[in-house]
Amino acid sequence: KYVIEIENIEKNYQVGTQVVRALRGVTTKIERGDYVAIMGPSGSGKSTLMNIIGALDTPSAGTYILNNHNVSQLTDDHLAEIRNREIGFVFQTFNLLHQYSALENVMLPLVYGGVPKAERIEKAKEALSKVGLEDRMTHKPNELSGGQRQRVAVARALINNPSIILADEPTGNLDSKTSIDIMRLFNEIHSGGNTIILVTHEEDIAQHAHRILRFRDGEIERDERNADITAMV
Ligand code: ADP
Ligand code: ADP
């Protein structure tokens, strides 16, 4: 039932002689297929939590169970493997490789997974069609609009069929109309059964989610469930 189980997670950063307590005992569970927004002021621990959920970093204390695997204290190699298999990342700045076409960008995660080339192309085409870019496959990022670039990034995030899509301010670099298009795309992906966790500063973006975790000073200050999610888009 739960894709994520987090129990009393703490994260400390040592800065010189000072210890920064970025997360001060965070406990939560996220159901498979849920759609969660993480909000909170700058410095409240959102990125730190996303890095732990995304298996980019490990907590100083507490346990993190992802898909029934305890990933709290794995080695970097193990984390990388879990990350490639279980997590799809979407970033504010798209993080596409500019010298590669949309199709090649989307194929990349499969290269690391050792999938044969013909199959990589087939899957990447499928993913690009899913995000409405079937006629832009050979375009490079600088030949695409911001919204189209983010669609390529979403297709890349979906390609390995991850357990969770993690999106860090996915509309942060988009105008409001394009943001709405991208949020529609997230809604579709969520309707298809994917679990989505996104960080946003914008209340109207967060309202697309079904649940909002509000952070303050390294703790979950409020955990809200959106009752009325029918007329959001
Ligand atoms: P948010 O994403 O909500 O802005 P962060 O998770 O980035 O917050 O930061 C939480 C706290 O941890 C802040 O006080 C920040 O300065 C500190 N912090 C984050 N990353 C590091 C790091 N790599 N080294 C030292 N301190 C850090
Ligand atoms: P910010 O929101 O602070 O500007 P980013 O959204 O670029 O930062 O990155 C958020 C986190 O994800 C950072 O800790 C960064 O190291 C990590 N990251 C960035 N790019 C990738 C990537 N391609 N694969 C995995 N992790 C990444």
Side-chain angles (χ1 to χ4, degrees):
K1 180 178 183 198
Y2 295 108
V3 64
I4 289 175
E5 297 171 74
I6 283 172
E7 182 78 34
N8 222 358
I9 279 192
E10 296 179 23
K11 181 71 181 182
N12 302 322
Y13 294 107
Q14 182 87 36
V15 182
T17 57
Q18 194 197 351
V19 175
V20 177
R21 298 184 65 201
L23 295 176
R24 305 171 178 239
V26 171
T27 299
T28 193
K29 293 180 183 186
I30 294 177
E31 284 175 33
R32 194 173 309 285
D34 209 345
Y35 187 170
V36 181
I38 296 180
M39 299 197 78
S42 186
S44 59
K46 306 181 297 294
S47 302
T48 301
L49 184 72
M50 289 292 264
N51 285 346
I52 291 171
I53 290 177
L56 292 160
D57 204 352
T58 51
S60 310
T63 52
Y64 170 30
I65 303 198
L66 170 61
N67 250 339
N68 298 318
H69 302 291
N70 190 334
V71 295
S72 317
Q73 304 299 340
L74 294 180
T75 59
D76 286 353
D77 285 352
H78 254 104
L79 281 182
E81 192 189 312
I82 297 264
R83 187 158 70 231
N84 290 335
R85 199 174 56 222
E86 308 276 351
I87 317 282
F89 291 97
V90 177
F91 300 97
Q92 176 172 5
T93 51
F94 321 132
N95 286 18
L96 300 174
L97 296 178
H98 62 88
Q99 70 274 38
Y100 290 136
S101 69
L103 189 71
E104 287 164 334
N105 268 285
V106 174
M107 283 163 62
L108 266 185
L110 296 173
V111 175
Y112 304 127
V115 178
K117 187 161 187 189
E119 196 182 329
R120 292 206 297 269
I121 294 174
E122 213 38 57
K123 284 192 162 170
K125 283 184 174 172
E126 217 174 278
L128 281 167
S129 301
K130 204 187 266 183
V131 300
L133 286 181
E134 49 280 275
D135 55 349
R136 291 288 185 279
M137 305 220 195
T138 60
H139 291 234
K140 293 190 175 161
N142 67 0
E143 298 163 337
L144 297 168
S145 69
Q148 289 171 335
R149 287 180 206 181
Q150 196 57 300
R151 284 172 186 273
V152 173
V154 170
R156 180 185 57 188
L158 288 169
I159 195 81
N160 270 331
N161 221 346
S163 306
I164 328 169
I165 306 286
L166 286 186
D168 191 356
E169 297 273 356
T171 60
N173 274 328
L174 303 174
D175 62 45
S176 55
K177 183 184 168 296
T178 311
S179 295
I180 291 170
D181 286 345
I182 290 295
M183 293 318 293
R184 283 211 180 99
L185 177 60
F186 276 114
N187 289 359
E188 275 170 37
I189 288 165
H190 173 249
S191 302
N194 283 284
T195 308
I196 300 176
I197 304 176
L198 70 82
V199 169
T200 182
H201 283 108
E202 293 169 77
E203 199 63 50
D204 54 333
I205 295 292
Q207 291 304 324
H208 289 262
H210 293 204
R211 182 180 175 194
I212 304 181
L213 296 177
R214 293 185 194 273
F215 274 72
R216 181 171 295 277
D217 297 334
E219 294 180 306
I220 297 175
E221 182 186 45
R222 272 193 291 163
D223 183 350
E224 299 168 356
R225 233 179 218 274
N226 270 333
D228 179 23
I229 41 108
T230 42
M232 284 301 162
V233 185

